[in-house]
């Protein structure tokens, strides 16, 4: 357990050893409460503010005090939605997309039964959304536009800065759900009209259970968590100091590795993609191949179950994920694949490979060595494949 080839980094990542090293002193040497005015507390408060600067630097925020530490992206997402409604009592509409993570979708559906009207942007077959359609959904009742910067299943990158400009022109508060973008693509918030941005530490080699919410200066804000003066009165609760220090270090490291991720790691992802397409028939690379994060590859293997592929990959010590699993317990295709209109016969067999800076070429070569045999074995057992393969192999067809 815990050994092998890890290609599920969009789900979570290993903590960088340099992050662990930075965190250690704050467990049993510098353990004061940051709010305490004695030496133990002041030293810790300085460490938190240094981490704030490191996070602000990765995000290109104008001011470190625009960063609020939270427990995770889910808390940050909920806070963004909560504050947009409570600070604008005359507005009760939210505009988002059908492609969002459940942290947004489930929160929106919870609210839609309680006086909030939610409007959803649809996606085309590449999983792209249309800024012109977005603009049509905005109106004086729109309290928030919340759009993900990159999709966790396909890696699609959305035109968030452009959409934030449109929202600002309509006096609409804009939130970017950026969990899968931070640390993977360049972000320079001060040059955008983005009001709030959420992300999680455990997607960029910080521990699980720490995240942040960026709130641009001048954006009206009401806390989601009450009962303390921490985070300048914007997020109550004694700070998780070691994890905040770890998040800061992870952001500093992510910035220094951004080029490597967008060159070497992207090339490894492309090698995996080409290898699969060239050796395995009847596959669909889902999503927008020109606008996607450098580490993500989502492939639909027709006529086989994604879960079965994962189980057999796991037999070889290879960890990946299937869209049908990470979005629901059932074997339903993910809401993302459904929103893209991927046919059922393919959507069931999607596998998401998500690389990181720790991924090696030897690992990609090993996946390419074993995967064709896995798919062939599963197809040999599939009545559906055996009924259709003559038509499929010879057909020149679009999915
Ligand atoms: C876009 C997006 N938003 C929010 C979250 C929630 O982050 P958390 O609050 O730190 O848990 C995730 C996690 N995405 C995934 C978690 O597992 N597989 C995934 O794709 C995500 O990808």
């Amino acid at each position: 357990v815990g050994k092998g080839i890890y290609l599920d980094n969009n789900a979570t990542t290993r903590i960088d050893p340099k992050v662990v090293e930075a965190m250690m002193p704050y467990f049993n040497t510098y353990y004061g409460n940051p709010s305490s005015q004695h030496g133990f507390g002041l030293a810790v408060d300085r460490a938190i503010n240094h981490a704030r600067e490191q996070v602000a630097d990765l995000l290109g925020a104008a001011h470190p005090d625009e960063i609020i530490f939270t427990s995770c992206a889910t808390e940050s997402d909920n806070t963004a939605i909560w504050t947009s409604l409570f600070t604008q009592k005359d507005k009760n509409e939210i505009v988002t997309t059908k492609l969002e993570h459940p942290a947004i979708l489930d929160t929106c559906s919870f609210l839609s039964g309680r006086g909030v009207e939610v409007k959803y942007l649809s996606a085309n077959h590449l999983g792209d959304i249309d800024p012109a359609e977005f603009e049509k959904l905005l109106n004086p009742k729109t309290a928030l536009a919340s759009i993900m910067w990159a999709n966790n299943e396909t890696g699609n990158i959305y035109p968030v800065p452009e959409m934030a400009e449109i929202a600002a022109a309509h006096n609409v508060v804009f939130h970017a759900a950026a969990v899968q973008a931070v640390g993977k693509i360049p972000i320079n918030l001060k040059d955008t009209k983005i009001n709030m941005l959420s992300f999680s530490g455990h997607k960029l080699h910080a521990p699980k259970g720490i995240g942040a919410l960026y709130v641009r200066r001048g954006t009206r804000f009401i806390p989601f968590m009450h009962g303390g003066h921490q985070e300048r009165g914007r997020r109550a609760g004694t700070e998780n100091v070691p994890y905040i220090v770890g998040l800061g270090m992870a952001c500093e490291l992510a910035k220094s590795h951004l080029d490597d991720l967008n060159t070497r790691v992207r090339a490894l992802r492309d090698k995996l993609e080409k290898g699969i397409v060239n050796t395995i028939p009847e596959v669909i690379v889902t999503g927008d191949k020109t606008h996607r994060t450098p580490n993500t590859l989502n492939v639909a293997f027709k006529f086989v179950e994604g879960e079965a592929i994962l189980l057999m990959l796991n037999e070889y010590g290879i960890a990946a994920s299937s869209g049908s699993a990470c979005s629901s317990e059932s074997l339903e295709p993910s809401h993302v694949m459904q929103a893209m209109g991927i046919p059922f016969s393919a959507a069931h067999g999607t596998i998401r490979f998500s690389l990181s800076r720790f991924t090696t070429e030897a690992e990609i070569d090993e996946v390419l060595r074993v995967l064709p045999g896995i798919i062939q074995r599963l197809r040999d057992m599939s009545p559906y494949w055996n009924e259709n393969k003559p038509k499929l192999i010879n057909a020149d067809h679009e999915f």
Side-chain angles (χ1 to χ4, degrees), residues 10-11 72-74 77 101 148 152 179-180 200 202-203 352:
N10 284 8
C72 59
T74 300
D77 287 345
H101 184 273
M148 68 183 351
N152 50 313
V179 169
Q180 299 291 345
S200 259
H202 69 105
K203 310 294 186 179
R352 176 186 70 186

Side-chain angles (χ1 to χ4, degrees), residues 8-268:
D8 197 19
N9 288 280
N10 284 8
T12 197
T13 61
R14 67 174 283 204
I15 305 176
D16 189 307
K18 291 178 181 154
V19 169
V20 174
E21 186 184 347
M23 292 170 65
M24 288 314 290
Y26 294 90
F27 286 104
N28 55 17
T29 302
Y30 303 107
Y31 52 79
N33 185 317
S35 301
S36 302
Q37 293 310 302
H38 48 59
F40 286 78
L42 295 173
V44 168
D45 192 47
R46 279 195 295 273
I48 288 179
N49 287 318
H50 177 58
R52 208 181 303 278
E53 289 165 2
Q54 292 169 306
V55 174
D57 188 39
L58 176 65
L59 298 180
H63 311 281
D65 65 19
E66 294 175 317
I67 304 302
I68 301 171
F69 292 114
T70 66
S71 61
C72 59
T74 300
E75 178 190 335
S76 302
D77 287 345
N78 276 264
T79 303
I81 292 172
W82 171 279
T83 185
S84 69
L85 293 167
F86 273 84
T87 54
Q88 302 174 96
K89 302 298 275 181
D90 57 331
K91 301 186 176 186
N92 75 326
E93 292 186 15
I94 294 176
V95 173
T96 187
T97 79
K98 293 177 181 172
L99 301 155
E100 304 295 314
H101 184 273
I104 296 290
L105 293 178
D106 293 358
T107 306
C108 285
S109 58
F110 169 80
L111 291 166
S112 60
R114 292 165 175 81
V116 175
E117 184 179 353
V118 186
K119 296 177 176 175
Y120 299 91
L121 273 169
S122 54
N124 67 13
H125 70 288
L126 293 178
D128 288 329
I129 54 180
D130 180 358
E133 185 195 349
F134 168 68
E135 184 163 23
K136 289 177 190 157
L137 296 179
L138 303 179
N139 67 64
K141 299 287 285 178
T142 310
L144 180 72
S146 180
I147 308 290
M148 68 183 351
W149 206 322
N151 184 272
N152 50 313
E153 292 189 30
T154 61
N156 276 38
I157 296 172
Y158 299 112
V160 156
E162 176 190 349
M163 297 170 82
E165 293 283 343
I166 294 170
H170 290 264
N171 192 30
V172 170
V173 174
F174 190 92
H175 169 246
V179 169
Q180 299 291 345
V182 173
K184 293 178 182 145
I185 63 175
I187 290 176
N188 199 8
L189 287 172
K190 58 181 169 300
D191 293 343
T192 73
K193 293 282 196 304
I194 294 167
N195 297 97
M196 295 184 278
L197 177 144
S198 301
F199 77 100
S200 259
H202 69 105
K203 310 294 186 179
L204 55 147
H205 308 291
K208 300 160 187 59
I210 187 72
L213 176 68
Y214 160 83
V215 181
R216 176 183 290 275
R217 271 189 187 175
T219 303
R220 293 177 61 205
F221 187 83
I222 285 180
F224 184 62
M225 302 268 281
H226 296 260
H229 56 275
Q230 295 86 355
E231 294 300 276
R232 300 158 65 94
R234 296 172 297 175
R235 200 273 185 178
T238 300
E239 299 87 343
N240 182 352
V241 176
Y243 281 49
I244 288 171
V245 169
L247 180 62
M249 177 55 78
C251 286
E252 181 178 311
L253 291 168
K255 185 170 184 180
S256 66
H257 286 88
L258 208 51
D259 284 349
D260 174 61
L261 207 73
N262 282 278
T263 52
R264 181 185 64 84
V265 179
R266 181 192 296 273
L268 291 179

